[in-house]
Amino acid sequence: MINYYDNPKHVNETRSSLFINPSLSLMIQLSPKWVLNSYTSFNEDFGGIEAVTKGYMLKTYRTISNNNSPLANTQSLNFSISTTFKNPVKVLVFNAGLMYNKTNNNLLHYLLFKGQLDTLVAFLQTNYTKNVSVFSRFNKYIIEWKTSFTLSANYSAVKQQQVQQNKLVTFNNQNLKVGVDVNSKISDFIFVEYNLSGLYLLSGAQFQKGRTRVTTSSQQFTLNYYPTKAINIRASADHYSLTTGLTEKKQYFFADAAIRLKPKKSKLDYEIMAQNIFNTKNFIAAIVNNNTQVVSTYQLRPLQIIAKLGFSF
């Protein structure tokens, strides 16, 4: 039961309901190396405290929001199944799975902006959101090379209803993400890391002919060198690529370096860092969500040298 009274806002609401939210989890040991997990649940609620209070709340350091909508009623069905393979002798791990979620809502929300004040309002309109995702991950450590390899892939498809031009429209969002991670111990003094990730986003509407596409990729290489136990030299380089329907292909390069000294039996450590060595001046990122594509441009700090002194108790 929710009983909310707010005298300054002239709000006095009461709603009583009995929710039965069952859940079931199952784990089957198929063999010494294979495990099967499954989970299903049904949940119904009114939302959290932010769904009932009408006053303003400081949600982030620069956003103040309030809720001017009636109590929502949400029903959610969840199901997941996954399998895991582990071979300790060969230092091999693999897991993959499928997740499904469907949520039914009685309200459609939208935001009204007034400077830094956000107001959440809603109107009565039943709608749903469906989410299906598939994931996999493979990890292998090669003892002779002192190197671990990780491959991952994730795909998700989301259907969500929203009102556009006074019509209830179904939006379809798909994204595919793949990744490669390599960590290696070259010697007792040198460690390297390499990360590669790619993301493909595709968004379209029910009555829309074309679709919005965004493709991003990023690479990062990091080197750590320990000439002595007291000295750490670190260098890293990044490459980022972005392709959208609103901008031509963008590519960015970043690099940082640092040297850290921590004398033995000392509570002080000293560090000198060089950031944005290539002096990249701006950076563009893109987000696609239903009928919204947001392209943000960031102005970056120029090349800078920073000296740092740390103290540990």
Side-chain angles (χ1 to χ4, degrees), residues 64 136 138 141 152 194 197 202 205 228 231 261 269 290 301:
I64 302 177
S136 63
F138 173 85
Y141 183 78
S152 62
Y194 174 75
S197 66
L202 180 64
T228 68
I231 300 176
L261 172 64
D269 61 83
N290 296 331
R301 292 183 178 181

Side-chain angles (χ1 to χ4, degrees), residues 52-228:
V52 296
T53 179
K54 304 299 181 182
Y56 280 95
M57 298 178 64
L58 181 64
K59 292 188 175 182
T60 69
Y61 72 95
R62 60 181 181 181
T63 303
I64 302 177
S65 304
N66 82 312
N67 183 7
N68 195 26
S69 63
L71 289 175
N73 182 261
T74 302
Q75 297 177 340
S76 179
L77 175 65
N78 304 279
F79 172 78
S80 67
I81 185 170
S82 63
T83 182
T84 302
F85 173 82
K86 294 183 179 180
N87 190 330
V89 177
K90 295 185 177 181
V91 200
L92 174 65
V93 178
F94 169 78
N95 68 299
L98 168 71
M99 294 186 295
Y100 171 82
N101 168 267
K102 182 179 181 182
T103 301
N104 293 313
N105 304 283
N106 67 328
L107 299 176
L108 270 175
H109 293 89
Y110 60 96
L111 284 172
L112 297 178
F113 300 96
K114 186 178 180 181
Q116 293 183 332
L117 301 179
D118 299 342
T119 299
L120 182 68
V121 294
F123 54 90
L124 291 173
Q125 173 63 65
T126 57
N127 62 95
Y128 71 86
T129 301
K130 289 183 180 180
N131 187 347
V132 179
S133 61
V134 181
F135 64 90
S136 63
R137 181 181 177 88
F138 173 85
N139 179 264
K140 169 67 177 175
Y141 183 78
I142 302 178
I143 300 176
E144 295 79 6
W145 297 356
K146 298 180 181 179
T147 302
S148 68
F149 297 89
T150 302
L151 305 176
S152 62
N154 299 273
Y155 170 80
S156 67
V158 180
K159 284 187 176 182
Q160 187 175 17
Q161 291 182 310
Q162 288 190 358
V163 171
Q164 188 173 33
Q165 296 180 352
N166 297 321
K167 294 182 180 180
L168 189 63
V169 179
T170 300
F171 290 88
N172 297 281
N173 301 310
Q174 301 178 60
N175 72 74
L176 174 64
K177 184 178 182 180
V178 295
V180 177
D181 297 299
V182 181
N183 294 269
S184 182
K185 180 181 179 181
I186 305 300
S187 68
D188 292 338
F189 312 103
I190 302 175
F191 300 82
V192 296
E193 299 178 18
Y194 174 75
N195 310 103
L196 168 66
S197 66
L199 178 63
Y200 177 73
L201 300 173
L202 180 64
S203 178
Q206 183 178 356
F207 305 107
Q208 181 181 350
K209 293 182 179 180
R211 293 194 173 188
T212 303
R213 292 173 172 84
V214 174
T215 304
T216 65
S217 65
S218 63
Q219 299 181 75
Q220 182 180 54
F221 177 81
T222 304
L223 169 69
N224 280 282
Y225 174 52
Y226 298 86
T228 68

Side-chain angles (χ1 to χ4, degrees), residues 235-238 253-257 274-280 303:
S236 65
D238 298 73
F253 296 90
F254 306 93
D256 300 319
Q275 298 181 340
N276 196 8
I277 294 176
F278 296 144
N279 201 29
T280 304
L303 167 66

